[in-house]
Amino acid sequence: MDSTRKNHKSAFTNLSKIYSNPLFILTIITVGITAYLLEVQMKIGVPYWDVFNYLNNALYFAGMGKGSVLYLPPVIPFLTSLFFKAGYVSLNAIFILDSILFIIGVIGLYLLLNQRFNEIQSLTGSLIFISFPVVLAWAVTGGIDIPGVSFSIWAIYLTVLGIKKNPKYLYFVIPLTMLAFLTRYTAGLIILPVLFYSLINIREIQKIKKVVIGILLELIVLVSGFLYVYMHLGTISSFYSLLANVLTSTSKGLGDVAYNPNNWYYLQSIPNYISLSPFSGTYQQLLNPSTGFPSILAYLIILAASMGIIFYIYRIIDVKYKNKLNLQNKYTIVKIILLTILIFGAIFTFNSTEYLLSEIFLFGTCFLLYNLLKNPDTKNIDLDIMIFLWFGAYFIFQSNLGIKVDRYFITMAPALAYFIILGLSEFIDKIKPKIKNKDLKSWGIYSIIALIFLSSATVTYIGHTPKKTFTMDIGEASNWIKGHDPDYNNKIIYSDYPPAVSWYLKKGTMGGFPRFYKNPDDFSNALLNKNADYYIDSLSEPKLNIKGYQIIKNFGNVAVYKKT
């Protein structure tokens, strides 16, 4: 009888420990939020152009279609094709895939934060990340931004784990980095913080020769596999051209609707990325927070976190250089001069087309900064500077591209969450002596902050979400054509949103864009010269009067034109 009671008590104790575990709590919250986001996304449909390209490429990988733009990152289309091969050919498949990878990314972020902060701080930081409007809005949309950053988070986490605890984890870093790169090409920049952290801690890596040989073999296999796949797809030259344009910043995006020459765009929009106000607005404000208005919460968090980071910087400098003789050391003086030169170099080259120089200066700045500030009493300075390099590398890269959209900031979002929780933890430590309640001191404040963020983000998401996106109307128009014209497979169809029409009709659709022509007559002549049977317009407002074609059906803002 006593042994039975003991077993029940032991089981209850173990269960209580699981339920009180912050990682368990985070997982439950993340799964719950993601399930709600997934349900909403399935109702409102695909929010933007590229997702349809990934879906069409998934059809190609599943052997069900020709694909749209095969030089695009292949990981998400390939993984989505597995759903198709299993018989689930639906655009919901890519939403589900994004949902899974989002949950994995959030768990990875918690584990990474827990290398620097305590459990409740790591939980709060992860929930702040989830609550960012730019993250919440894009979490399950079928895009590649969240999956790319999820793989990046795990690459960083395993780098830290491999150096600090067990070098075996390092064998997973290169495959994850390659996976991140092939999920979203710009995610390849994560190699900079990985390389930085490895170099400054190289003496801590156990069995370093064995690790280096193993990683080199991995690189050879992965690069060979990468080249084989792209050569098989016949897109290797397109990929190289794309990469060259990006690396040299020669592709400025003039004429693109997302063209923006403001290099401070992302920095200026940070309050919007943290929290939006008011609670109601348009879906576009949710997808592109910079078009909305930041909430008071955003400014309060920025103020508190900034003050905390200032306290932190002052403290580590004070600890390192409490003895003024350290500053008078000639080697220290030389390092400070070099650091100043590198910082100015990074600033002056920031606006240049060859932004790679700015990246090099930033890398050197971080390396020298670590050398100047490392101290036994500031053991986490290596992790802090690595995360700063993560943010800085992507900030320089994305800011210098001519095309700027808010979802590109997602690559910087984990680093932003890291520094917010770093600043808040330092700020809270300063005000703790004035707090009498023990629970409030230990976990209460962080719980309140997390709840405020989650509540604000959830209400804002609900208030900005429509019943459906216009791409659902494209789906209805495409399905109508199937019934209206049984011979549609043999007809030439043009659209100003061709990837969507191609997906719904499961046939190739040509692109026709009125904005590229001086007047509707020129556009009409172009369609007639191409012998287009149908033209599906989703973006023009008001609808064009296209000679030789008449509107035969409307679905919301989508019009179906047929050749007369």
Side-chain angles (χ1 to χ4, degrees):
M1 188 74 175
D2 289 338
S3 62
T4 304
R5 285 181 179 177
K6 284 181 180 179
N7 289 335
H8 281 304
K9 190 175 181 180
S10 176
F12 180 77
T13 303
N14 291 333
L15 203 59
S16 297
K17 285 181 180 178
I18 292 172
Y19 288 149
S20 61
N21 185 327
L23 180 56
F24 178 81
I25 294 169
L26 175 67
T27 304
I28 294 298
I29 292 172
T30 306
V31 170
I33 290 173
T34 306
Y36 170 73
L37 295 176
L38 182 59
E39 182 187 9
V40 172
Q41 202 68 56
M42 286 179 173
K43 288 179 181 177
I44 67 177
V46 174
Y48 78 116
W49 178 292
D50 289 355
V51 177
F52 287 108
N53 281 328
Y54 308 140
L55 286 165
N56 289 325
N57 286 354
L59 287 174
Y60 171 81
F61 287 124
M64 300 175 182
K66 294 181 179 179
S68 288
V69 191
L70 292 175
Y71 62 78
L72 291 175
V75 168
I76 295 304
F78 174 75
L79 293 176
T80 304
S81 73
L82 301 180
F83 287 86
F84 294 172
K85 287 180 178 179
Y88 187 58
V89 183
S90 166
L91 55 80
N92 291 337
I94 203 167
F95 298 154
I96 295 169
L97 177 61
D98 265 18
S99 301
I100 295 168
L101 294 175
F102 176 59
I103 294 168
I104 291 171
V106 172
I107 291 171
L109 180 61
Y110 171 86
L111 296 172
L112 175 60
L113 292 175
N114 203 210
Q115 297 300 306
R116 173 65 170 82
F117 308 104
N118 64 36
E119 290 181 332
I120 190 65
Q121 290 169 343
S122 302
L123 172 63
T124 304
S126 301
L127 292 177
I128 287 173
F129 170 76
I130 293 172
S131 303
F132 288 156
V134 73
V135 171
L136 200 66
W138 291 98
V140 300
T141 56
I144 57 177
D145 303 274
I146 290 291
V149 87
S150 292
F151 290 129
S152 299
I153 288 168
W154 277 92
I156 291 288
Y157 170 61
L158 291 179
T159 300
V160 175
L161 217 58
I163 289 171
K164 298 295 184 182
K165 294 187 178 179
N166 191 328
K168 289 181 180 179
Y169 291 113
L170 293 174
Y171 294 121
F172 296 98
V173 173
I174 294 300
L176 276 167
T177 303
M178 180 65 82
L179 201 57
F181 171 69
L182 293 177
T183 300
R184 178 165 182 76
Y185 293 140
T186 55
L189 271 176
I190 203 66
I191 195 65
L192 290 179
V194 166
L195 183 62
F196 169 79
Y197 195 79
S198 301
L199 287 174
I200 62 176
N201 290 295
I202 197 164
R203 293 180 181 178
E204 294 187 36
I205 301 175
Q206 303 168 26
K207 301 177 183 178
I208 188 167
K209 289 184 179 178
K210 186 178 178 181
V211 170
V212 170
I213 292 170
I215 289 174
L216 286 174
L217 288 173
E218 284 181 342
L219 276 171
I220 292 170
V221 172
L222 288 170
V223 171
S224 300
F226 164 78
L227 292 173
Y228 171 79
V229 169
Y230 274 78
M231 288 175 73
H232 178 72
L233 293 174
T235 57
I236 194 73
S237 59
S238 299
F239 169 77
Y240 280 145
S241 298
L242 177 68
L243 189 64
N245 287 337
V246 169
L247 289 176
T248 58
S249 195
T250 57
S251 179
K252 283 296 181 182
L254 281 169
D256 194 286
V257 292
Y259 175 72
N260 188 336
N262 180 12
N263 282 19
W264 302 104
Y265 172 79
Y266 293 111
L267 193 64
Q268 293 166 354
S269 302
I270 283 179
N272 302 62
Y273 300 146
I274 294 174
S275 179
L276 273 183
S277 177
F279 291 139
S280 62
T282 67
Y283 188 46
Q284 283 305 310
Q285 287 176 330
L286 193 65
L287 294 174
N288 302 288
S290 63
T291 61
F293 303 94
S295 69
I296 296 173
L297 175 63
Y299 291 113
L300 290 175
I301 288 297
I302 289 172
L303 179 63
S306 298
M307 289 175 66
I309 288 172
I310 290 169
F311 295 149
Y312 172 64
I313 293 171
Y314 175 79
R315 179 164 56 81
I316 59 175
I317 292 174
D318 185 56
V319 168
K320 177 73 176 182
Y321 297 105
K322 189 176 288 184
N323 184 348
K324 292 183 179 180
L325 289 174
N326 290 337
L327 281 170
Q328 294 170 2
N329 183 294
K330 64 179 182 179
Y331 293 110
T332 302
I333 293 170
V334 170
K335 289 176 184 176
I336 291 172
I337 292 170
L338 283 173
L339 179 64
T340 305
I341 293 170
L342 287 170
I343 291 172
F344 277 105
I347 293 170
F348 289 137
T349 57
F350 176 67
N351 288 318
S352 69
T353 54
E354 300 294 338
Y355 73 91
L356 285 176
L357 286 174
S358 191
E359 298 279 12
I360 293 168
F361 281 124
L362 175 66
F363 192 92
T365 298
C366 291
F367 198 86
L368 206 52
L369 191 62
Y370 170 75
N371 198 270
L372 281 165
L373 297 178
K374 65 178 179 179
N375 189 288
D377 297 322
T378 53
K379 60 180 181 179
N380 292 312
I381 193 69
D382 55 348
L383 190 54
D384 296 338
I385 295 177
M386 177 184 68
I387 302 297
F388 173 75
L389 178 58
W390 179 352
F391 184 91
Y394 280 104
F395 174 73
I396 290 169
F397 172 76
Q398 303 289 10
S399 297
N400 278 281
L401 289 182
I403 296 174
K404 295 179 180 69
V405 291
D406 289 342
R407 63 187 172 85
Y408 291 174
F409 186 83
I410 291 172
T411 55
M412 296 169 255
L416 178 61
Y418 180 98
F419 284 111
I420 285 176
I421 201 62
L422 173 61
L424 287 177
S425 65
E426 293 289 332
F427 179 77
I428 291 169
D429 282 345
K430 283 288 181 181
I431 64 172
K432 265 185 181 179
K434 298 179 181 179
I435 302 171
K436 294 180 180 180
N437 188 294
K438 289 183 180 179
D439 289 336
L440 205 58
K441 277 186 177 183
S442 59
W443 58 268
I445 296 178
Y446 292 103
S447 299
I448 292 169
I449 291 170
L451 284 171
I452 291 172
F453 258 99
L454 275 179
S455 302
S456 174
T458 303
V459 172
T460 302
Y461 181 85
I462 293 170
H464 287 71
T465 308
K467 292 181 179 179
K468 66 175 181 178
T469 60
F470 75 95
T471 60
M472 297 290 278
D473 293 330
I474 296 176
E476 289 181 26
S478 301
N479 290 330
W480 181 83
I481 286 178
K482 288 180 182 179
H484 173 76
D485 188 344
D487 194 37
Y488 73 92
N489 261 318
N490 296 317
K491 297 297 173 65
I492 299 172
I493 300 174
Y494 273 70
S495 173
D496 60 354
Y497 224 82
V501 179
S502 294
W503 161 256
Y504 286 114
L505 292 180
K506 301 297 184 291
K507 74 179 293 292
T509 304
M510 307 301 291
F513 310 100
R515 70 178 186 273
F516 293 156
Y517 296 85
K518 292 181 180 179
N519 53 61
D521 286 347
D522 287 349
F523 180 59
S524 170
N525 290 333
L527 290 178
L528 290 169
N529 289 336
K530 296 294 184 181
N531 200 28
D533 296 295
Y534 293 96
Y535 173 67
I536 300 176
D537 183 288
S538 62
L539 301 175
S540 299
E541 189 61 42
K543 293 305 171 189
L544 301 174
N545 180 19
I546 305 175
K547 290 182 180 180
Y549 294 84
Q550 65 176 5
I551 296 177
I552 56 172
K553 196 70 175 176
N554 286 291
F555 296 89
N557 197 49
V558 176
V560 178
Y561 292 79
K562 186 177 182 180
K563 189 177 180 182
T564 57

